[in-house]
Amino acid sequence: DTAVSQTPKYLVTQMGNDKSIKCEQNLGHDTMYWYKQDSKKFLKIMFSYNNKELIINETVPNRFSPKSPDKAHLNLHINSLELGDSAVYFCASSQAGTATEAFFGQGTRLTVV
Amino acid sequence: TQLLEQSPQFLSIQEGENLTVYCNSSSVFSSLQWYRQEPGEGPVLLVTVVTGGEVKKLKRLTFQFGDARKDSSLHITAAQPGDTGLYLCARTSGTYKYIFGTGTRLKVLA
């Protein structure tokens, strides 16, 4: 049973389109995240949510809008996609606290053409 | 901004060789984690170290947390092709944020 699942795994779309990535965790965690991994494999936080509330927005353009309908779900909607948005996007979850383990989804490879 | 620098950035070695990966910061941190990411997958936690000078072993992998809690190392003995992947150190910043290192891409050739 997959702990953190995100869909789709691959997404190819044209510039200017709007797309969504869905994420669900079945671990009972109270905190969920979106991370972006660039072509150099650098993993950078975008958003974190705790109990459905936005806690961190790491200066992400407002074309990116996360939504957490409940503690187990954190979706990411992206408007007006740009070439520079091409990357791998990871959803993750953890129990809030320092040094707790973060569990990641398999990633969504977004390619904007 | 609390950057975690890893070295080397890339490492390609033969099966059976030993290697060490380093993670350095100018800041003191209360704990440090190491993750491994395989192609097409998300990072998976290998270990968490919390005490300065702490050494933890996971089969052929040995993790050390620096005495001053500003650095950490990962040593792999007798590397195998299955060790191939991206190794990431990470720290938590507050309760709701993981900061990852710049990464080390390891390839072990059979």
Side-chain angles (χ1 to χ4, degrees), chain A:
Chain A
D1 206 16
T2 305
V4 181
S5 59
Q6 56 181 107
T7 55
K9 189 166 171 64
Y10 299 97
L11 194 48
V12 181
T13 188
Q14 291 190 324
M15 272 197 310
N17 283 351
D18 303 339
K19 289 293 177 186
S20 292
I21 307 172
K22 295 188 174 182
C23 179
E24 175 182 5
Q25 55 98 0
N26 63 5
L27 298 166
H29 290 159
D30 58 7
T31 306
M32 295 186 72
Y33 312 82
W34 279 109
Y35 276 82
K36 179 179 180 180
Q37 188 170 49
D38 60 24
S39 58
K40 294 184 178 179
K41 303 296 185 184
F42 187 58
L43 202 56
K44 185 171 161 57
I45 189 165
M46 300 172 69
F47 303 102
S48 70
Y49 271 72
N50 177 255
N51 289 317
K52 304 190 302 176
E53 298 297 321
L54 177 66
I55 303 295
I56 289 177
N57 176 343
E58 198 78 350
T59 61
V60 179
N62 58 15
R63 297 183 296 103
F64 291 78
S65 51
K67 280 193 173 56
S68 182
D70 55 58
K71 284 198 318 181
H73 295 84
L74 180 62
N75 304 321
L76 184 65
H77 187 75
I78 316 170
N79 289 328
S80 304
L81 278 154
E82 301 177 358
L83 292 177
D85 297 332
S86 295
V88 182
Y89 292 84
F90 285 98
C91 176
S93 74
S94 73
Q95 201 56 30
T98 55
T100 57
E101 180 175 358
F103 290 80
F104 284 80
Q106 284 193 307
T108 296
R109 180 174 293 278
L110 172 65
T111 304
V112 183
V113 297

Side-chain angles (χ1 to χ4, degrees), chain A residues 9 31 33 35 37 39 41-43 45 48 50 55-56 58 90 94 96-102 104-106, chain B residues 3 9 30-31 33 35 37 40-45 48 50 86 88 92 94-102 105:
Chain A
K9 189 166 171 64
T31 306
Y33 312 82
Y35 276 82
Q37 188 170 49
S39 58
K41 303 296 185 184
F42 187 58
L43 202 56
I45 189 165
S48 70
N50 177 255
I55 303 295
I56 289 177
E58 198 78 350
F90 285 98
S94 73
T98 55
T100 57
E101 180 175 358
F104 284 80
Q106 284 193 307
Chain B
L3 190 64
Q9 191 177 355
S30 58
S31 63
Q33 298 179 321
Y35 289 79
Q37 182 182 3
E41 303 290 333
V44 175
L45 180 70
T48 300
V50 297
L86 174 69
L88 295 161
T92 49
T95 309
Y96 306 110
K97 183 175 175 179
Y98 293 81
I99 296 174
F100 285 86
T102 48
R105 288 194 238 188

Side-chain angles (χ1 to χ4, degrees), chain B residues 68-103:
Chain B
R69 292 186 288 123
K70 287 185 177 183
D71 57 88
S72 180
S73 63
L74 156 61
H75 182 80
I76 301 180
T77 304
Q80 297 177 0
D83 296 327
T84 292
L86 174 69
Y87 288 81
L88 295 161
C89 61
R91 58 172 287 188
T92 49
S93 174
T95 309
Y96 306 110
K97 183 175 175 179
Y98 293 81
I99 296 174
F100 285 86
T102 48

